[in-house]
């Protein structure tokens, strides 16, 4: 139907141009005759008649030229807009050159987007600004009205009635969504680089934060003398827990990247260190509470048997406090995995390949929290990749739950071992 309409338009235009050329030729011949009569001293009445006829033919040629031009507005432009809409729905026409972008090589690959693009084929949008006192009003006009009486008129009804047969929608489950890399800016492919980057950042933050947090808690509980300085340190730790995460991100950029140059640019290492500072107060406070909850009799018995203070801490107090410490670790792990602001300036990029473990020292990585924000707000095709956004959110929640489950199982196992 599209080809028939295109051929019909070409025939109409060719016919109008042929008539225009014929009128111009006749006008030119009359002009020559009038000039010849003037040179030979012919009748003035005959000369005037020839010139009048020449002007009439020129006017008719102009009208035909305008009619040929109007075909561009009445047929060509609406037709080109329709072809573009059909291409977005079904992809390139047979025989056309394959586009470079993957998103343009296929039609719509999801049923909800198919219905959206079908609506765009059936209706064209115009804005009405006739009322100067109000905002423009969007008006949807059936596109078929511009093709009444043409070869394309039945096309619209056929498309609406047979869209199911053409697209054959069915529910599928894309298992490779977790393990594939993204293609064409997340419009196709999976999210493996983001999953791996999130795991790297979370585990890296825990590697730095747990030793520092536990050692700080041991010092505050077992070695520091109670006084103003210790009280001041505890106030600072509590205050640090309430600092907005974006501040940690800016601190990580200023200190780790711009001051000590831990890497040339964003890197997983810089992001992990920044996240470790973010969760450090939580680990210190939870570890401190867990150590203080150990019965004092344990410590006195160990010291009474001749054990030193450090030996008592390592062999008696710390194992007994380990379940409580792991509770703080579980809470901190979930926060480290889900934070976006601290890694914006230090570690995260929108698109990237999966990193090898040694590449985390000096290269940035995509990460689920940042990419969820990026795809939901700044991506050029926000509405077309809703499934990727939901998939990333579900995966992030699953990763946090999985990491927490592992930590909870470890805590339960240790508690059971301590009981008996």
């Amino acid at each position: 139907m599209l080809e028939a309409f295109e051929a019909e338009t070409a025939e109409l235009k060719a016919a109008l141009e042929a008539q225009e050329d014929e009128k111009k030729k006749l006008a030119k011949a009359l002009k020559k005759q009038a000039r010849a009569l003037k040179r030979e001293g012919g009748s003035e009445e005959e000369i005037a008649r020839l010139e009048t006829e020449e002007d009439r033919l020129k006017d008719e040629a102009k009208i035909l030229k305008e009619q040929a031009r109007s075909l561009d507005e009445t047929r060509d432009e609406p037709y080109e807009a329709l072809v573009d809409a059909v291409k977005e729905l079904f992809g390139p026409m047979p025989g056309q050159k394959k586009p470079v972008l993957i998103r343009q090589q296929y039609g719509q690959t999801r049923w909800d987007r198919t219905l959206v693009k079908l609506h765009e084929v059936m209706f064209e949008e115009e804005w009405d600004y006739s009322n100067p006192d109000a905002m423009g009003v969007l008006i949807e006009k059936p596109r078929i009205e511009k093709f009444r009486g043409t070869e394309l008129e039945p096309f619209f009804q056929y498309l609406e009635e047979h869209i199911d047969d053409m697209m054959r929608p069915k529910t599928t489950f894309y298992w490779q969504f977790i393990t594939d890399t993204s293609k064409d800016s997340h419009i196709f492919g999976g999210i493996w680089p983001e999953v791996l980057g999130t795991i790297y950042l979370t585990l890296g933050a825990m590697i730095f934060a747990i030793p520092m947090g536990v050692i700080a808690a041991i010092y505050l509980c077992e070695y520091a003398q109670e006084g103003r300085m210790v009280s001041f340190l505890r106030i600072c730790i509590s205050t640090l827990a309430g600092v907005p995460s974006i501040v940690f991100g800016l601190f990580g950029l200023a200190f780790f990247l711009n001051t000590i140059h831990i890497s040339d640019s964003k890197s997983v290492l810089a992001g992990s260190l920044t996240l470790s500072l973010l969760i450090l107060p939580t680990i210190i406070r939870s570890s401190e509470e867990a150590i203080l909850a150990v019965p004092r009799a344990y410590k006195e018995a160990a010291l009474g048997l001749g054990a030193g203070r450090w030996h008592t801490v390592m062999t008696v107090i710390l194992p007994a406090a380990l379940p409580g410490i792991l509770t703080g670790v579980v809470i901190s792990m979930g926060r480290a995995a889900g934070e976006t602001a601290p890694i914006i300036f230090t570690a995260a990029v929108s698109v990237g390949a999966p990193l090898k473990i040694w590449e985390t020292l000096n290269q940035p990585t995509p990460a689920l929290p940042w990419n969820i924000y990026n795809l939901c707000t700044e991506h050029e095709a926000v509405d077309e990749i809703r499934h990727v956004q939901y998939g990333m959110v579900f995966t992030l929640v699953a990763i946090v739950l999985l990491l927490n489950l592992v930590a909870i199982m470890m805590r339960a196992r240790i508690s059971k071992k301590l009981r008996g």
Side-chain angles (χ1 to χ4, degrees):
M1 293 181 186
L2 294 174
E3 292 175 352
F5 178 82
E6 196 171 356
E8 184 185 31
T9 304
E11 288 179 6
L12 284 172
K13 189 178 287 186
L16 290 171
E17 289 174 348
Q19 292 179 37
E20 179 191 351
D21 292 340
E22 186 65 24
K23 300 286 184 186
K24 287 181 177 178
K25 286 179 182 177
L26 290 173
K28 194 172 182 179
L30 291 173
K31 187 177 182 179
K32 286 182 178 179
Q33 291 180 20
R35 285 181 177 177
L37 284 175
K38 285 180 180 177
R39 285 195 299 271
E40 295 169 359
S43 168
E44 292 184 357
E45 292 181 357
E46 182 62 16
I47 293 171
R49 187 188 67 78
L50 290 174
E51 289 178 343
T52 303
E53 186 66 16
E54 178 194 351
D55 293 339
R56 185 184 66 80
L57 290 172
K58 284 182 178 179
D59 292 339
E60 290 180 356
K62 287 181 181 177
I63 293 172
L64 290 170
K65 189 175 182 179
E66 288 300 322
Q67 289 178 351
R69 285 181 180 174
S70 68
L71 282 178
D72 291 337
E73 298 178 359
T74 58
R75 294 179 71 99
D76 284 354
E77 291 179 6
Y79 173 72
E80 289 173 2
L82 174 63
V83 169
D84 290 341
V86 172
K87 280 182 183 177
E88 289 192 16
L89 179 61
F90 294 117
M93 306 270 183
Q96 287 187 332
K97 185 179 179 181
K98 191 176 182 179
V100 176
L101 291 177
I102 299 176
R103 74 188 74 172
Q104 296 175 350
Q105 294 177 8
Y106 308 96
Q108 298 304 308
T109 54
R110 293 189 296 118
W111 183 240
D112 59 333
R113 297 303 304 171
T114 297
L115 296 179
V116 172
K117 294 300 177 183
L118 175 64
H119 185 80
E120 292 178 3
V121 172
M122 305 302 294
F123 296 89
E124 62 178 354
E125 296 181 350
E126 291 183 4
W127 287 90
D128 182 10
Y129 296 101
S130 57
N131 186 356
D133 299 327
M135 299 290 288
V137 179
L138 177 63
I139 300 174
E140 290 187 335
K141 293 183 178 178
R143 204 183 289 271
I144 190 174
E145 296 300 330
K146 290 192 174 179
F147 298 96
R148 291 285 185 199
T150 68
E151 296 280 350
L152 275 181
E153 185 176 353
F155 169 77
F156 295 92
Q157 184 177 358
Y158 181 86
L159 185 62
E160 197 167 19
E161 292 176 351
H162 295 84
I163 190 65
D164 286 4
D165 301 329
M166 294 177 182
M167 302 303 285
R168 296 181 181 178
K170 64 177 181 180
T171 303
T172 58
F173 191 89
Y174 180 34
W175 288 100
Q176 293 80 12
F177 181 70
I178 303 296
T179 57
D180 278 354
T181 57
S182 67
K183 296 179 175 62
D184 198 2
S185 301
H186 287 293
I187 293 179
F188 295 99
I191 59 170
W192 175 238
E194 288 76 12
V195 172
L196 189 62
T198 303
I199 294 173
Y200 279 150
L201 288 167
T202 305
L203 294 182
M206 303 314 295
I207 287 173
F208 291 117
I210 291 175
M212 289 192 294
V214 174
I215 290 172
I218 291 172
Y219 172 78
L220 291 173
C221 294
E222 299 297 329
Y223 291 93
Q225 298 294 325
E226 290 296 333
R228 291 182 179 179
M229 180 57 69
V230 172
S231 298
F232 177 72
L233 286 175
R234 287 199 171 98
I235 290 173
C236 290
I237 292 169
S238 300
T239 304
L240 202 61
V243 173
S245 56
I246 188 69
V247 176
F248 283 96
L250 292 171
F251 174 79
L253 172 65
F255 182 70
F256 293 122
L257 293 179
N258 294 342
T259 303
I260 65 174
H261 302 288
I262 199 165
S263 58
D264 294 334
S265 62
K266 291 181 180 178
S267 67
V268 175
L269 179 59
S272 298
L273 287 170
T274 306
L275 285 172
S276 69
L277 293 179
L278 178 74
I279 62 176
L280 189 59
T282 305
I283 293 181
I284 292 174
R285 296 297 293 172
S286 61
S287 299
E288 198 176 351
E289 293 297 329
I291 291 171
L292 291 174
V294 176
R296 191 169 183 79
Y298 287 17
K299 179 181 175 181
E300 292 175 351
L303 293 174
L305 291 173
R309 178 174 287 185
W310 178 248
H311 190 72
T312 301
V313 169
M314 295 302 294
T315 58
V316 177
I317 296 177
L318 206 54
L322 201 53
I325 295 173
L326 285 176
T327 301
V329 171
V330 169
I331 297 171
S332 303
M333 195 180 292
R335 189 176 181 192
E339 278 293 344
T340 304
I343 61 174
I344 291 176
F345 307 107
T346 55
V349 289
S350 300
V351 178
L355 296 183
K356 304 287 190 303
I357 187 69
W358 57 86
E359 293 174 337
T360 58
L361 299 177
N362 55 13
Q363 291 192 24
T365 180
L368 287 172
W370 161 247
N371 282 81
I372 289 170
Y373 167 77
N374 181 260
L375 296 188
C376 292
T377 57
E378 299 179 358
H379 197 280
E380 58 182 320
V382 170
D383 292 331
E384 297 179 11
I385 56 170
R386 293 293 184 201
H387 60 297
V388 181
Q389 300 161 13
Y390 293 133
M392 281 188 172
V393 172
F394 179 79
T395 305
L396 179 59
V397 173
I399 288 175
V400 172
L401 291 177
L402 185 63
L403 293 173
N404 288 353
L405 181 63
V406 172
I408 290 170
M409 290 175 65
M410 288 176 60
R411 184 182 63 185
R413 188 173 179 180
I414 292 170
S415 298
K416 184 178 179 182
K417 190 175 179 181
L418 289 174
R419 285 196 301 267

